[in-house]
Amino acid sequence: MTSTTTSQQELFRFLEDRFACAQACSECARSCALRASLVDPDGTENQELVRRRGIMCAEVCDATCRVLSEQNQVDEGAIRAQLEWCRQVCLESAHVFDAHPGAEESAKACRDCARACGEFLATLR
C-alpha cells in the first residue's frame, strides 16, 4: 500500500509541477505580449529588439503552455525539448528586457518561467 501512496504522491507532485510551469508560461506570454505592444514600432534599434524578443517569447511560452496541457498526446522527449527551448528563450528575453527601462516586470516573468521550466524538467529526468 505504501508504494501506491508514494506513486500517487509522485503523480500529484508531477501534475502540480506541470501546472505551475504552464501557469508561469502563460503569465510570461501575457507579460511579453504586453511589453511588445508598448514598444513604438518605429522606435530605435534597441526598442525593435525588445519588441521582437517580446513577441518571440510570448509565442514560445504560449506553445509550451499548449504542449503541457496536452496530457498524454505528447511524448516526454518532445516535452523536454519544448521546456528547454522555452527556458532558454525566457533567459535570453530577460537579458534583453534588463537593458530596457520599464521592462522589469517582463524580465521577472521571464525568469520565473525559466525557473519553472527548469524545475519541471528536473522531474522528467
Side-chain angles (χ1 to χ4, degrees), residues 2-3 10 29 47 65 74 76 101 105 124:
T2 320
S3 64
E10 288 171 352
Q47 288 176 321
C65 194
V74 180
E76 197 173 294
E105 191 175 312
L124 298 176

Side-chain angles (χ1 to χ4, degrees), residues 1-107:
M1 193 67 132
T2 320
S3 64
T4 303
T5 304
T6 302
S7 62
Q8 284 178 331
Q9 288 173 340
E10 288 171 352
L11 176 62
F12 290 147
R13 175 65 189 196
F14 173 81
L15 293 173
E16 286 174 355
D17 288 348
R18 185 177 188 143
F19 178 74
C21 185
Q23 203 169 18
C25 287
S26 179
E27 178 60 29
C28 188
R30 185 201 62 75
S31 182
C32 287
L34 179 61
R35 173 59 35 211
S37 73
L38 295 174
V39 175
D40 180 5
D42 297 323
T44 65
E45 188 177 325
N46 184 36
Q47 288 176 321
E48 178 59 19
L49 175 62
V50 168
R51 190 180 72 76
R52 280 193 331 257
R53 182 49 69 168
I55 291 168
M56 179 180 178
C57 193
E59 289 174 352
V60 170
C61 287
D62 186 51
T64 303
C65 194
R66 282 194 313 272
V67 165
L68 291 173
S69 68
E70 292 176 6
Q71 295 294 342
N72 299 324
Q73 298 175 5
V74 180
D75 71 14
E76 197 173 294
I79 291 173
R80 272 195 200 104
Q82 185 70 38
L83 288 169
E84 187 56 49
W85 184 37
C86 187
R87 192 181 72 75
Q88 188 62 39
V89 167
C90 284
L91 291 174
E92 291 169 2
S93 297
H95 182 70
V96 168
F97 295 151
D98 284 340
H100 188 75
E104 296 84 2
E105 191 175 312
S106 295

